Amino acid sequence: MLRPHLDDFFKRVGHLYEVVIFTASLKKYANVIIDVIDKYKIVKYRLFREQCSLIHQTYVKELKK
């Protein structure tokens, strides 16, 4: 089950912004979920664990990169 109004949110922000999803999840799992929630193909980029930095045994999403 998706969050209420998620489709409307994606449609609205997709016309105003470049939408990026950045997750510490593995690509093979996250892609399946993103495909379900982004049925209108609004998300321009998908960033996964491979783009995170491993710091003190924790995956960190460093936006400076």
Side-chain angles (χ1 to χ4, degrees):
M1 182 174 189
L2 300 177
R3 290 190 175 269
H5 311 292
L6 181 62
D7 287 339
D8 293 333
F9 172 78
F10 270 142
K11 285 184 212 174
R12 288 182 184 172
V13 299
H15 295 290
L16 300 171
Y17 304 101
E18 182 176 66
V19 179
V20 178
I21 292 183
F22 194 175
T23 178
S25 295
L26 294 173
K27 183 177 186 175
K28 65 181 179 180
Y29 299 115
N31 265 332
V32 174
I33 302 301
I34 297 169
D35 288 343
V36 170
I37 66 172
D38 185 27
K39 58 184 159 187
Y40 300 106
K41 307 297 181 206
I42 302 297
V43 176
K44 300 292 184 205
Y45 299 100
R46 300 173 180 201
L47 302 171
F48 307 100
R49 183 175 293 181
E50 294 84 4
Q51 286 79 36
C52 292
S53 298
L54 186 58
I55 300 174
H56 303 294
Q57 298 181 343
T58 301
Y59 289 99
V60 177
K61 297 176 231 167
E62 289 191 78
L63 299 179
K64 287 186 249 176
K65 287 184 173 184

